């Protein structure tokens, strides 16, 4: 067998694929074949590296050279210079990897990766997710073999309990306790299920794990099934994740072919099979009982709890349900021990947490940090800070179910209890960063629009109550609100939280309540001053030309799409407010910064 002298890892996750990584891979394979280098230089399509803002990403080993934003037309130069002449193409390097003396840093020395600890993401960006042999080479299915040949089901559950792992899908319920409930439930037939219905705006953690390391979820579900006494599993995944769906199906087929799914796995007498179920895009199906109703073939609506799924889940049988990231930690715990996992994180929040970091931040992407890392470290050290020198204003965690963390709390240590204490929540791990130009009333409205649209309509507090909340927010952002509306808004939020049927409705008011708590002055400005401090709400924006700064060049008038600006050349121009559609083109185009809102 001929050994390759170099491996080129190219991100094949959704982010880089959307940036053209498949064309980059095709060009690279063609170029190498033309030079008879295809056996010397191996191209590996991997999952997400994390730095999504720089895609397509290509990393060359053994050197560890990090090329970013690579285009198909760059490939010839890379092959000629790097692979044939041994000279790094510096113009394509991720600049943070280059030192003053032109040496190249390793990934572990880069600010983005320095404070991360990859447990759930350990294989993402490292292996080809479509090749089971590569997963096995990185200790894949070792944990399953250990569990089936050396451990009893209760011993497995005890190890998960000891690790302190909490569910990574929302409220952080202790994983081992959930496994114990399902194990103890009476029933001849039991199921395990995986919630891969990731629907929060700005969240893509689970998708990246499934795209980059699908076998880790399959192996973990098999371990869970053995522990609780199940022989059938379901992965409920969004149909909008085509790459993840494809790679999961490939992985399931490979596992069956290798005898790692099916009957008598590892000659242990344990049987386990696994199927995919595609969701149709309903956010409410991320709620566990609605998800199970959908798997059964019915309209995705929540069911009363109790009984909880561990007692009566799929088809009224005991069912264990965890989300993708929770399962992604299981094999690492079994292989490395509960004490190892327990040593990471904080006293009540063990291990790491994966965040999809987006919004007004330089390093948009996927990060995995030990619990207890501060928000400041995530934003300024890992995330690279706020673009264009703007000031950090707030961060939203937990998506539509979460809340906003203001700049005054930027040194909060991120874990389950700390986030709840300040009015937010961990959620599945979306983290949206906002700068000084963000209107917090508008942010609350954005999340309410999403919740109203996604409500299943089963209960009145959610179906009607959230609609009323949205109407009040719309009234305020249009400059028609009153101080009484703010009081009504707050009162209605608490009513919905206390009476809604499922978690979607109960948490829907959180974005409003957190913005009222920390940014009430912005609500008051919208109501009393009829002004949006951030200049976002169009109804409250008025563009003006400062005569002291205006040079009379006329550029603004030429750019205005509705002819709302008039004046004479070399004299200050004016804006007719009655004609202005508040598009902002004049402010953008003015070379003298004479126009403001």
């Amino acid at each position: 067998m001929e050994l390759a002298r170099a491996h080129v890892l190219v991100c094949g996750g959704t982010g880089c694929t959307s940036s053209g990584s498949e064309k980059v891979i095709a060009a690279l394979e063609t170029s190498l074949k033309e030079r008879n280098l295809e056996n010397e230089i191996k191209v590996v399509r991997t999952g997400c590296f994390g730095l999504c803002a720089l895609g397509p990403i290509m990393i060359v080993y053994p050197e560890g050279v990090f090329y970013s934003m690579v285009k198909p037309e760059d490939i010839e130069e890379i092959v000629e210079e790097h692979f044939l002449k041994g000279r790094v193409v510096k113009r394509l390097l991720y600049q943070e990897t280059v030192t003053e003396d032109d040496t190249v840093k390793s990934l572990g020395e880069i600010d983005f990766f320095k404070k991360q600890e990859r447990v759930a993401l350990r294989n993402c960006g490292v292996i080809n997710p479509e090749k089971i042999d590569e997963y096995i080479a990185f200790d894949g299915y070792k944990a399953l073999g250990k569990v089936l040949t050396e451990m009893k089901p209760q011993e497995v559950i005890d190890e998960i309990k000891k690790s302190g792992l909490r569910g990574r899908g929302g409220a952080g319920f202790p994983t081992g306790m959930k496994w114990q409930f399902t194990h103890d439930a009476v029933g001849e037939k039991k199921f395990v299920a995986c919630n891969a219905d990731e629907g929060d705006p700005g969240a893509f953690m689970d998708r990246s794990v499934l795209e980059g390391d699908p076998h880790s979820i399959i192996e973990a579900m098999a371990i869970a099934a053995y522990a609780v006494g199940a022989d059938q599993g379901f992965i409920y995944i969004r149909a909008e994740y085509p790459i993840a769906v494809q790679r999961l199906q490939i992985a399931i087929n490979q596992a069956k072919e290798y005898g790692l799914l099916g009957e008598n796995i590892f000659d242990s007498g344990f049987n386990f099979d696994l199927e995919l179920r595609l969701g149709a895009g309903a956010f409410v199906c991320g709620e566990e009982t609605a998800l199970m109703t959908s798997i059964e073939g019915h309209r995705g609506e929540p069911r009363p709890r109790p009984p909880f799924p561990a007692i009566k889940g799929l088809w009224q049988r005991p069912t264990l349900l965890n989300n993708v990231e929770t399962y992604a930690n299981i094999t690492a715990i079994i292989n490395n021990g509960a004490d190892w996992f327990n040593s990471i994180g904080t006293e009540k929040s063990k291990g790491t947490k994966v965040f999809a970091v987006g919004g007004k931040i330089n390093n948009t992407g996927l990060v995995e940090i030990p619990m207890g890392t501060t928000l400041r470290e995530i934003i300024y050290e890992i995330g690279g800070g706020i673009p264009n020198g703007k000031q950090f204003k707030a961060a939203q965690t937990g998506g539509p179910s979460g809340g906003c963390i203001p700049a005054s709390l930027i040194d909060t240590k991120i874990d389950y209890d700390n986030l709840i204490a300040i009015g937010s929540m961990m959620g599945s791990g979306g983290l949206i960063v906002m700068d000084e130009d963000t209107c917090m009333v508008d942010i609350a409205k954005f999340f309410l629009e999403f919740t109203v649209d996604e409500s299943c309509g089963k209960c009145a507090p959610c179906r009607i109550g959230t609609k009323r909340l949205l109407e009040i927010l719309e009234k305020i952002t249009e400059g028609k609100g009153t101080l009484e509306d703010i009081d009504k808004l707050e009162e209605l939020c608490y009513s919905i939280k206390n009476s809604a049927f499922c978690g979607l409705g109960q948490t829907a008011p959180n974005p409003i309540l957190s913005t009222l708590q920390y940014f009430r002055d912005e609500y008051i400005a919208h109501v009393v001053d009829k002004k949006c401090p951030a200049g976002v709400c169009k109804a409250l924006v008025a563009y003006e030309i400062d005569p002291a700064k205006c040079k009379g060049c006329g550029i603004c008038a030429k750019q205005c799409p509705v002819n709302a600006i008039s004046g004479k050349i070399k004299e200050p121009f004016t804006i007719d407010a009655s004609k202005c559609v508040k598009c902002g083109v004049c402010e953008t185009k003015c070379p003298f910064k004479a126009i403001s809102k």
Side-chain angles (χ1 to χ4, degrees):
M1 178 179 169
E2 188 176 354
L3 296 176
R5 65 178 171 88
H7 284 76
V8 186
L9 276 56
V10 185
C11 176
T14 294
C16 284
T17 298
S18 67
S19 300
S21 66
E22 288 300 318
K23 292 180 181 178
V24 169
I25 291 170
L28 181 58
E29 290 176 337
T30 299
S31 183
L32 292 173
K33 192 170 183 179
E34 288 173 352
R35 294 166 174 80
N36 296 316
L37 293 174
E38 66 269 28
N39 293 323
E40 290 185 50
I41 313 293
K42 293 292 185 183
V43 180
V44 181
R45 182 186 280 99
T46 73
C48 180
F49 292 109
L51 256 172
C52 303
L54 299 175
I57 291 172
M58 175 190 294
I59 301 180
V60 182
Y61 288 102
E63 302 97 312
V65 171
F66 190 125
Y67 290 121
S68 63
M69 303 179 77
V70 180
K71 298 180 177 62
E73 50 267 33
D74 297 322
I75 293 302
E76 285 297 310
E77 184 179 1
I78 291 174
V79 172
E80 281 291 328
E81 290 295 310
H82 191 148
F83 300 142
L84 288 177
K85 300 175 184 176
R87 298 192 295 226
V88 173
V89 183
K90 292 181 180 178
R91 70 176 184 86
L92 295 174
L93 289 176
Y94 174 41
Q95 289 306 303
E96 282 202 24
T97 65
V98 184
T99 64
E100 291 183 3
D101 59 359
D102 278 352
T103 58
V104 179
K105 294 180 183 178
S106 66
L107 292 188
E109 297 176 287
I110 300 171
D111 288 340
F112 181 78
F113 293 105
K114 201 181 292 181
K115 290 203 169 183
Q116 292 193 51
E117 188 162 350
R118 291 165 80 88
V119 178
L121 299 177
R122 60 193 175 278
N123 290 329
C124 293
V126 176
I127 64 172
N128 183 336
E130 297 183 16
K131 292 188 176 181
I132 190 172
D133 290 336
E134 292 199 17
Y135 178 70
I136 291 172
F138 282 80
D139 291 335
Y141 293 102
K142 177 182 174 183
L144 180 59
K146 177 182 178 181
V147 162
L148 295 184
T149 60
E150 301 176 20
M151 301 175 73
K152 295 177 182 178
Q154 187 59 53
E155 291 175 331
V156 178
I157 295 172
D158 289 342
E159 193 73 3
I160 301 303
K161 283 182 179 177
K162 186 180 176 183
S163 74
L165 176 66
R166 295 171 65 171
R168 298 302 196 241
F173 190 81
T175 303
M177 194 178 297
K178 184 181 281 191
W179 287 29
Q180 187 72 64
F181 291 154
T182 314
H183 171 275
D184 295 344
V186 177
E188 293 181 7
K189 181 76 173 178
K190 297 181 181 181
F191 298 100
V192 295
C194 175
N195 184 348
D197 190 61
E198 185 175 51
D200 290 7
F204 50 93
M205 304 75 56
D206 291 351
R207 184 194 74 200
S208 296
V209 172
L210 294 170
E211 290 176 352
D213 194 17
H215 282 285
S216 68
I217 306 306
I218 295 170
E219 182 180 11
M221 292 185 71
I223 291 170
Y226 172 74
V228 303
D231 62 4
Q232 176 66 48
F234 297 94
I235 300 176
Y236 189 86
I237 182 171
R238 300 178 70 80
E240 298 95 329
Y241 285 177
I243 296 176
V245 171
Q246 179 189 18
R247 289 179 181 166
L248 265 175
Q249 192 60 63
I250 289 171
I252 289 171
N253 295 342
Q254 290 174 341
K256 289 181 178 179
E257 184 183 341
Y258 275 52
L260 299 166
L261 284 177
E263 296 184 0
N264 197 26
I265 300 170
F266 282 106
D267 294 323
S268 64
F270 170 65
N271 305 326
F272 180 64
D273 206 354
L274 192 56
E275 297 178 29
L276 297 183
R277 288 288 189 272
L278 302 189
F283 179 64
V284 73
C285 285
E287 195 276 337
E288 60 180 8
T289 61
L291 180 151
M292 292 179 186
T293 305
S294 181
I295 288 179
E296 293 170 356
H298 305 295
R299 186 174 188 265
E301 291 183 334
R303 302 195 290 233
R305 296 184 308 172
F308 291 93
I311 307 301
K312 286 187 178 182
L314 287 167
W315 295 284
Q316 300 300 302
R317 306 292 180 85
T319 303
L320 172 69
L321 176 67
N322 291 126
N323 87 318
V324 171
E325 189 184 340
T326 308
Y327 280 124
N329 284 283
I330 297 300
T331 58
I333 291 171
I334 298 298
N335 284 331
N336 299 310
D339 290 336
W340 162 80
F341 189 83
N342 202 281
S343 68
I344 306 169
T346 63
E347 183 181 352
K348 294 182 179 179
S349 299
K350 303 297 183 183
T352 61
K353 183 70 188 78
V354 180
F355 285 98
V357 183
K360 302 294 183 68
I361 193 164
N362 285 310
N363 294 337
T364 300
L366 206 64
V367 305
E368 183 172 5
I369 48 97
M371 294 281 194
T373 302
T374 66
L375 185 60
R376 184 188 297 276
E377 289 174 291
I378 296 173
I379 293 173
Y380 285 101
E381 296 183 39
I382 298 172
I386 314 298
N388 305 316
K390 298 282 186 176
Q391 293 296 311
F392 167 69
K393 184 172 186 177
Q396 171 86 6
T397 64
S401 303
C404 291
I405 305 171
S408 60
L409 296 175
I410 194 171
D411 290 309
T412 297
K413 292 184 177 182
I414 302 298
D415 66 16
Y416 290 101
D417 302 306
N418 283 340
L419 289 182
I420 290 172
I422 61 174
S424 188
M425 66 182 292
M426 188 78 73
S428 58
L431 196 159
I432 300 175
V433 180
M434 293 164 268
D435 68 9
E436 61 194 72
D437 295 332
T438 304
C439 171
M440 303 311 295
V441 184
D442 184 65
I443 284 292
K445 187 178 79 166
F446 166 79
F447 283 112
L448 252 292
E449 286 171 340
F450 179 86
T451 307
V452 167
D453 191 50
E454 293 294 339
S455 172
C456 74
K458 184 170 184 174
C459 74
C462 185
R463 182 181 70 250
I464 302 171
T466 57
K467 181 66 176 174
R468 297 291 87 81
L469 288 177
L470 180 58
E471 288 172 354
I472 295 172
L473 286 173
E474 287 174 340
K475 185 179 176 184
I476 291 172
T477 55
E478 289 169 2
K480 301 172 184 176
T482 64
L483 290 174
E484 288 75 17
D485 285 323
I486 298 177
D487 295 333
K488 285 181 188 176
L489 194 66
E490 197 163 17
E491 182 182 353
L492 185 53
C493 279
Y494 286 112
S495 295
I496 294 170
K497 281 181 72 70
N498 294 329
S499 58
F501 189 70
C502 81
L504 186 149
Q506 291 162 9
T507 59
N510 285 351
I512 298 177
L513 289 172
S514 65
T515 50
L516 278 171
Q517 180 180 359
Y518 298 115
F519 301 98
R520 184 177 286 266
D521 59 321
E522 290 197 25
Y523 283 85
I524 293 172
H526 280 69
V527 167
V528 176
D529 302 331
K530 306 299 179 188
K531 185 173 182 180
C532 175
V536 171
C537 301
K538 280 191 174 183
L540 302 177
V541 169
Y543 286 92
E544 296 178 349
I545 297 176
D546 185 344
K549 292 182 180 178
C550 181
K551 305 298 181 183
C553 65
I555 291 176
C556 57
K558 292 178 183 177
Q559 295 293 330
C560 181
V562 292
N563 299 317
I565 303 177
S566 60
K568 296 181 180 179
I569 297 298
K570 295 186 179 180
E571 293 182 14
F573 278 60
T574 58
I575 299 175
D576 185 342
S578 64
K579 294 181 180 179
C580 179
V581 293
K582 304 169 184 179
C583 64
V585 172
C586 58
E587 182 185 27
T588 304
K589 297 295 182 179
C590 178
F592 305 105
K593 308 297 180 186
I595 303 176
S596 60
K597 54 189 174 184

